[in-house]
Amino acid sequence: MEILVCVKRVPDTAENEFQLNSAGNDLDRDDLVYSVNEWDNYAVEEAIQIVDKVGGNVTVVTVGDSESEEVLRREMAMGANNGILLSDDAFEGSDGKGIATILKGEVLKGKYDLILTGAQADAAAGQVGGMLAAMLDLPYASLVNKIEVESDTTIKVGREIEGGNQEMNEVDLPCVLSIQTGINEPRYVGIRGIRKVAQVEIPVKDAAALGIDPSSVGDAGAKVKRVDYFVPELGAGAEMLEGSTDEIIAQLIERIKSKGGLA
Amino acid sequence: MTQIFVYVTHVAGVADDIASEYITAAKKIDPAATVTAVVTGSGADLDKVADSLTSKYAEVIKIGNEALAYPNAEVVRKALCNVLDKSAVVLAPHNTFGMDMCPGLSIKMDSAFAADAVDFEGVADGKLKLVRQELGGAVSTHVACDISNGAVITIRPGAFAPIDAAAGGKVTDKSGEAGDLTAKRRFLEVVQAEVGDVDITKSDVLVSVGRGIQEQENIEIAQELAEAMGAVVSCSRPIVDAKWLEKSRQVGTSGKTVKPKVYMAMGISGSFQHMGGVKGNPYIVAVNKNPKAPIFQVADVGIVTDILEFMPALTEAIKEM
Ligand SMILES: Cc1cc2nc3c(=O)[nH]c(=O)nc-3n(C[C@H](O)[C@H](O)[C@H](O)COP(=O)(O)OP(=O)(O)OC[C@H]3O[C@@H](n4cnc5c(N)ncnc54)[C@H](O)[C@@H]3O)c2cc1C
Ligand SMILES: Nc1ncnc2c1ncn2[C@@H]1O[C@H](COP(=O)(O)O)[C@@H](O)[C@H]1O
């Protein structure tokens, strides 16, 4: 099975305290720690496991600048066979539809049986996979937490729905699936793994190579644009306890008691 | 004047709460908008939900078909594409159904798409200004969405105050316009979540741990605190993904809904999917080393510190009481 996995380089929410820049129109990105989108790691792991079972290749693709190459290498160190970087100044400022349009360009150049995305990325939109599928007229399932390859023409997928229940579907191939965390346990990637793929050539494709009209993507093609960032009021609700640990604990115990949380 | 369609999800003929929340959302988009509720389904359940919505909406469209009995996103999308006016604004819930259907619907309707709106600030020059969150709720953004050729927007359940308008509306049956509803994705069944060894929904006090617990061995520290408090340990999703605790202990939209008296959020950032499972207005204690963590906006009391040091100290103090 030929599997394409879409991955994105994002600011790591566990590693950063986010601040706005002085103009207030963007995050202060100078000291941000970036990593691969959490959900995409699960997608790549799932693709590798499927190929281990039924054969084929895993290709990872990203739309981004030259710095995004590092996430492709990381996923190749996990076991993806190929990486492709889609990069062009014209791609900058793309909305979800723009990103999906660019990815569609690459999908049409290859021959993929299965296309995986993460359930969502840093902007928590969860849009690119469903858009890509609709553009390609392929079936789509989101929030997938189980994949069983049944035959060359269909797969069985479980979707995680409210309450942790699982919705089972049969889906025709080729298809696009967005992967939910917890579907597997992504393998650890060590420094040695990264070093092994450090020299591998990663092709870079621009709008022309993908046959994309530059005005349909990027800022020019975007119907949805972020105007600014803001940080909601800190502690709007919470009473912040301060002082020595002993003082804080004494105050906290008193409050928990009064709310019936301690006898 | 904006034309707005709101897609009302329902279970066994009973509309989800979002039905009342849409009314507020639509008013914030455009106070003069015409708002039409749309329901899909089959049989008596569909009739029941459509009729019930006439008390809130002047116009209700129902689309009935056996193929719509279970809301398979691909099938619903096809029906909506055939029935709805493509230049309109379509609202749907940002839940596992809306996430499944809406991005693709926007492509098929050739309209703009915005996900998980938590507020609207009106339309100017054909652009709708909306508020959403990024990076797990750490930052908010204003987004301009060009709705001049229609838009599909998912709204966060619970983010808009429910209104009970009295409309006395009418139901229009558009089942005949649904078109071809065959699909390349076919629904098979729903498998219910497994039941675990403890029932976190029964406990008055929950010590809930998030990614801030850092290592599997540290779960023990939370367990000791819970024991001292006569509480039960629950957790956020990453703890279950890592297999450090069983799924039945997960609080949130894709886990359990809990209604304790006191909820101790230990190293949990406070994403809406997590907080979506915390109901009944408990007293929320948040301990987090990041003063900017979103959890401090919903908590009643907050402490900025390392949980790995704080929890053992609290356990000791409680034991000495
Ligand atoms: C469709 C869908 C459904 C979902 N359903 C759920 C659900 O049901 N339940 C759920 O929980 N999530 C759910 N999620 C995931 C959710 O979006 C968040 O990713 C998740 O809740 C984050 O968990 P967390 O707060 O533990 O981790 P993080 O967001 O990583 O936060 C960890 C926090 O710990 C703090 N911290 C770190 N170390 C320490 C320390 N030593 N001391 C004190 N504080 C520390 C950090 O400052 C940070 O605020 C869902 C996501 C999707 C897309
Ligand atoms: N720039 C990008 N390059 C490649 N894939 C992307 C990009 N942005 C989003 N995706 C994919 O789409 C998924 C969902 O992202 P989003 O729709 O932005 O929330 C991600 O997990 C990726 O798989």
Side-chain angles (χ1 to χ4, degrees):
Chain A
M1 193 169 294
E2 292 300 313
I3 308 180
L4 182 70
V5 188
C6 307
V7 300
K8 187 182 182 193
R9 178 176 180 264
V10 300
D12 191 327
T13 47
E15 296 287 331
N16 296 297
E17 280 180 28
F18 296 101
Q19 315 263 7
L20 303 190
N21 67 3
S22 48
N25 59 357
D26 194 8
L27 299 172
D28 182 352
R29 294 188 186 264
D30 288 349
D31 300 317
L32 285 189
V33 179
Y34 283 81
S35 58
V36 63
N37 178 37
E38 182 182 0
W39 281 267
D40 301 348
N41 266 336
Y42 288 87
V44 172
E45 176 65 39
E46 194 64 17
I48 295 168
Q49 290 189 16
I50 292 172
V51 163
D52 281 349
K53 262 186 232 139
V54 304
N57 285 289
V58 178
T59 302
V60 286
V61 64
T62 192
V63 181
D65 56 18
S66 56
E67 292 192 274
S68 293
E69 222 191 79
E70 76 188 28
V71 302
L72 294 175
R73 285 197 202 281
R74 191 201 173 278
E75 305 308 277
M76 289 167 77
M78 269 178 91
N81 306 87
N82 314 298
I84 306 171
L85 175 62
L86 310 181
S87 196
D88 194 312
D89 288 346
F91 296 167
E92 242 162 79
S94 289
D95 60 7
K97 186 178 179 189
I99 298 290
T101 304
I102 299 161
L103 290 168
K104 175 186 161 201
E106 175 53 34
V107 172
L108 294 177
K109 298 277 169 204
K111 200 170 178 332
Y112 298 103
D113 306 296
L114 185 59
I115 299 156
L116 304 182
T117 72
Q120 62 178 37
D122 49 341
Q127 59 193 0
V128 169
M131 289 179 165
L132 178 61
M135 286 176 181
L136 293 162
D137 247 323
L138 294 179
Y140 173 67
S142 66
L143 300 164
V144 168
N145 65 356
K146 188 189 184 98
I147 301 179
E148 280 172 37
V149 179
E150 291 191 309
S151 70
D152 291 347
T153 51
T154 62
I155 54 173
K156 209 167 159 181
V157 302
R159 294 184 60 236
E160 188 185 63
I161 56 173
E162 272 70 24
N165 297 332
Q166 190 181 41
E167 178 196 288
M168 298 304 300
N169 294 272
E170 184 185 61
V171 185
D172 293 345
L173 291 174
C175 69
V176 182
L177 307 176
S178 90
I179 302 298
Q180 176 62 306
T181 58
I183 185 173
N184 53 41
E185 290 176 77
R187 66 197 67 189
Y188 175 77
V189 180
I191 287 287
R192 277 170 77 207
I194 304 264
R195 256 195 231 126
K196 259 199 195 152
V197 295
Q199 302 305 324
V200 180
E201 184 85 21
I202 292 186
V204 183
K205 300 187 184 178
D206 60 10
L210 295 167
I212 294 169
D213 170 6
S215 70
S216 68
V217 296
D219 193 55
K223 282 188 181 175
V224 182
K225 295 184 188 186
R226 189 190 290 113
V227 183
D228 63 8
Y229 283 90
F230 62 100
V231 179
E233 281 295 288
L234 167 68
E239 170 200 10
M240 303 304 289
L241 298 185
E242 278 160 26
S244 70
T245 304
D246 286 348
E247 285 162 9
I248 290 176
I249 285 178
Q251 291 178 58
L252 181 62
I253 288 179
E254 189 189 306
R255 283 167 181 70
I256 295 176
K257 265 188 181 166
S258 76
K259 300 294 169 185
L262 272 173
Chain B
M1 192 177 63
T2 319
Q3 162 86 332
I4 301 177
F5 291 105
V6 302
Y7 182 75
V8 179
T9 46
H10 57 99
V11 178
V14 179
D16 291 341
D17 293 346
I18 196 92
S20 307
E21 297 164 16
Y22 282 141
I23 299 171
T24 305
K27 282 215 167 77
K28 286 188 160 189
I29 293 174
D30 178 358
T34 56
V35 188
T36 307
V38 184
V39 277
T40 62
S42 75
D45 283 352
L46 178 64
D47 295 338
K48 186 176 158 201
V49 69
D51 288 339
S52 77
L53 287 170
T54 56
S55 68
K56 294 190 173 78
Y57 294 89
E59 236 198 298
V60 179
I61 290 176
K62 74 171 174 188
I63 311 171
N65 193 294
E66 263 311 301
L68 292 163
Y70 182 87
N72 172 334
E74 186 178 331
V75 184
V76 175
R77 183 182 89 194
K78 281 187 159 183
L80 294 186
C81 267
N82 288 328
V83 169
L84 302 187
D85 180 351
K86 294 200 167 42
S87 62
V89 172
V90 181
L91 300 185
H94 191 72
N95 59 14
T96 65
F97 173 77
M99 290 177 83
D100 207 29
M101 178 185 75
C102 290
L105 179 66
S106 76
I107 296 299
K108 294 298 182 190
M109 302 207 17
D110 198 19
S111 56
F113 176 71
D116 193 23
V118 296
D119 203 2
F120 293 108
E121 296 182 1
V123 185
D125 298 330
K127 296 199 176 59
L128 170 63
K129 199 168 172 192
L130 56 95
V131 177
R132 56 189 312 283
Q133 296 181 327
E134 299 193 4
L135 299 164
V139 291
S140 294
T141 63
H142 286 107
V143 170
C145 178
D146 182 349
I147 63 167
S148 51
N149 278 308
V152 176
I153 298 170
T154 59
I155 68 167
R156 179 176 298 181
F160 296 88
I163 297 186
D164 248 336
K170 64 170 199 311
V171 178
T172 311
D173 187 348
K174 297 221 172 176
S175 306
E177 294 171 33
D180 169 27
L181 296 180
T182 53
K184 293 189 228 175
R185 164 177 151 195
R186 295 163 294 273
F187 167 71
L188 301 172
E189 60 171 335
V190 170
V191 182
Q192 299 296 318
E194 275 170 39
V195 192
D197 55 352
V198 280
D199 188 350
I200 61 168
T201 66
K202 296 264 158 61
S203 184
D204 277 346
V205 184
L206 289 171
V207 173
S208 208
V209 291
R211 189 140 40 197
I213 199 78
Q214 285 166 3
E215 282 175 37
Q216 183 163 21
E217 294 75 62
N218 295 339
I219 300 276
E220 186 75 30
I221 300 173
Q223 235 123 28
E224 281 162 13
L225 173 59
E227 212 163 289
M229 295 184 77
V232 162
V233 172
S234 60
C235 65
S236 69
R237 176 170 188 122
I239 304 304
V240 174
D241 289 342
K243 309 239 168 6
W244 295 350
L245 284 170
E246 56 273 51
K247 180 87 179 167
S248 59
R249 295 207 190 226
Q250 180 189 317
V251 173
T253 56
S254 61
K256 289 274 184 333
T257 298
V258 296
K259 292 181 181 171
K261 284 186 189 151
V262 176
Y263 189 74
M264 311 269 293
M266 302 287 122
I268 291 177
S269 63
S271 71
F272 86 92
Q273 287 109 345
H274 182 78
M275 297 316 296
V278 183
K279 292 272 156 72
N281 198 23
Y283 188 70
I284 300 177
V285 179
V287 184
N288 197 301
K289 67 175 184 187
N290 176 4
K292 298 214 161 81
I295 186 80
F296 289 129
Q297 295 179 44
V298 291
D300 294 283
V301 61
I303 300 155
V304 179
T305 189
D306 187 331
I307 54 167
L308 300 179
E309 286 161 23
F310 187 78
M311 285 197 293
L314 181 58
T315 307
E316 280 315 305
I318 291 171
K319 279 188 184 161
E320 281 165 21
M321 268 168 36

